[in-house]
């Protein structure tokens, strides 16, 4: 198992375009998270899946953002009509089981630059 | 809501020396977890150490140990025998212990640690 993988690692897009990021969690991890990290800040929680169900969304996740995990395996995060304020690193993470406090494993992140 | 504060934006330590990174947090929860994560320049976040709030004993992982003061809501990380590979951004994080909600982490703003020769 190679850990949480994210694609693409870097994306430069023009304002107004749509972008999609993909995350492949660690096999058999039923929990998947998306976080956003801007320069000089810690990651901020965006949304969370338990298997294919999206159970919680942060207020940071505006209507332009949508996340899916259709088969309870990989997940996609789409940003529509990108704005310069969307420039950040988008981190995916996964964990197993129902027990709180289980280790959350992070991917290397997808850098988004909106120009 | 929980908040996590790391008041040291940057720190430097010489190789083989000991350094302590500070973290304070604010919460009304009684059951929770605290974590230190390391984010090297390659950017993948790695768990360093975890503390369960109901355990009084401070967690240790090899050269890494914590000083958990629950009443003071303080959770510092001590790195002993610092190595060049410890150079990274270190984040303190909080998680509620609640099976009914997402196991989401609340992070501080981080401390950039530079280990020098």
């Amino acid at each position: 198992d190679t850990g949480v993988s994210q694609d693409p690692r870097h994306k430069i897009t023009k304002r107004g375009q749509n972008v999609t990021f993909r995350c492949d969690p660690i096999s058999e991890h039923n929990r998947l998270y998306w976080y956003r990290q801007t320069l000089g800040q810690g990651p901020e929680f965006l949304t969370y899946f338990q298997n294919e169900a999206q159970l919680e969304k942060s207020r940071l996740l505006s209507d332009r953002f949508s996340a899916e995990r259709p088969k309870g395996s990989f997940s996609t995060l789409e940003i529509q009509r990108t704005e310069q304020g969307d420039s950040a690193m988008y981190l995916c993470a996964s964990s197993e089981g129902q027990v709180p406090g289980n280790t959350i494993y992070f991917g290397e992140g997808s850098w988004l630059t909106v120009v | 809501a929980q908040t996590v504060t790391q008041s040291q934006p940057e720190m430097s330590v010489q190789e083989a020396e000991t350094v302590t990174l500070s973290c304070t947090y604010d919460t009304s929860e009684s059951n929770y977890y605290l974590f230190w994560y390391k984010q090297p320049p390659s950017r993948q976040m790695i768990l360093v150490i975890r503390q369960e709030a109901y355990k009084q004993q401070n967690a240790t992982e090899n050269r890494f140990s914590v000083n958990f003061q629950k009443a003071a809501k303080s959770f510092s990380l001590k790195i002993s025998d610092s190595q060049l590979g410890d150079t990274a951004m270190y984040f303190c994080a909080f998680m509620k212990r609640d099976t009914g909600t997402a196991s989401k982490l609340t992070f501080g703003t981080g401390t950039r640690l530079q280990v020098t020769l």
Side-chain angles (χ1 to χ4, degrees):
Chain A
D1 197 341
T2 56
V4 179
S5 62
Q6 295 187 242
D7 182 72
R9 294 291 315 283
H10 297 90
K11 178 74 175 178
I12 300 174
T13 190
K14 292 184 178 179
R15 190 175 54 186
Q17 297 294 304
N18 299 343
V19 296
T20 300
F21 300 111
R22 176 182 169 119
C23 171
D24 287 89
I26 293 172
S27 299
E28 299 180 0
H29 277 191
N30 53 16
R31 293 187 166 191
L32 186 146
Y33 311 82
W34 285 99
Y35 285 79
R36 182 171 69 186
Q37 185 178 15
T38 54
L39 285 173
Q41 299 295 318
E44 296 173 292
F45 172 80
L46 291 178
T47 190
Y48 149 70
F49 291 84
Q50 175 83 26
N51 298 313
E52 66 274 10
Q54 188 174 19
L55 297 184
E56 189 169 344
K57 293 195 291 187
S58 162
R59 285 174 291 179
L60 293 174
L61 214 63
S62 75
D63 291 344
R64 297 184 296 104
F65 288 70
S66 62
E68 294 182 345
R69 195 182 182 196
K71 298 182 180 179
S73 56
F74 74 92
S75 175
T76 58
L77 176 69
E78 181 183 18
I79 309 174
Q80 296 182 326
R81 305 181 304 281
T82 51
E83 301 172 357
Q84 287 188 323
D86 297 332
S87 295
M89 181 164 67
Y90 292 85
L91 288 165
C92 179
S94 68
S95 66
E96 62 177 343
Q98 303 282 343
V99 178
N102 276 354
T103 299
I104 295 179
Y105 296 86
F106 285 83
E108 294 187 16
S110 292
W111 272 109
L112 174 65
T113 301
V114 181
V115 297
Chain B
Q2 287 69 232
T3 59
V4 177
T5 302
Q6 294 179 251
S7 58
Q8 304 156 313
E10 295 185 1
M11 293 195 73
S12 181
V13 64
Q14 287 191 323
E15 200 176 20
E17 297 296 307
T18 296
V19 64
T20 298
L21 308 184
S22 301
C23 172
T24 58
Y25 59 95
D26 190 23
T27 184
S28 58
E29 302 288 332
S30 56
N31 293 321
Y32 50 87
Y33 299 90
L34 294 164
F35 304 83
W36 280 97
Y37 274 87
K38 168 185 178 181
Q39 193 175 40
S42 67
R43 308 295 286 186
Q44 183 172 30
M45 199 93 64
I46 303 166
L47 177 66
V48 174
I49 199 165
R50 167 178 42 211
Q51 176 77 41
E52 298 172 49
Y54 64 89
K55 290 186 176 179
Q56 292 188 339
Q57 186 173 6
N58 289 324
T60 61
E61 287 288 342
N62 301 314
R63 299 183 295 107
F64 299 87
S65 61
V66 298
N67 183 4
F68 174 48
Q69 301 289 328
K70 190 172 184 179
K73 296 180 181 175
S74 170
F75 183 61
S76 61
L77 174 70
K78 185 171 80 171
I79 306 174
S80 304
D81 186 26
S82 298
Q83 301 175 359
L84 293 177
D86 295 333
T87 293
M89 196 75 161
Y90 286 81
F91 290 99
C92 179
F94 173 100
M95 179 194 293
K96 288 197 301 185
R97 188 176 190 272
D98 183 347
T99 56
T101 63
S103 298
K104 60 186 178 184
L105 293 161
T106 300
F107 287 89
T109 52
T111 296
R112 186 176 304 279
L113 177 66
Q114 180 73 46
V115 180
T116 60
L117 292 171

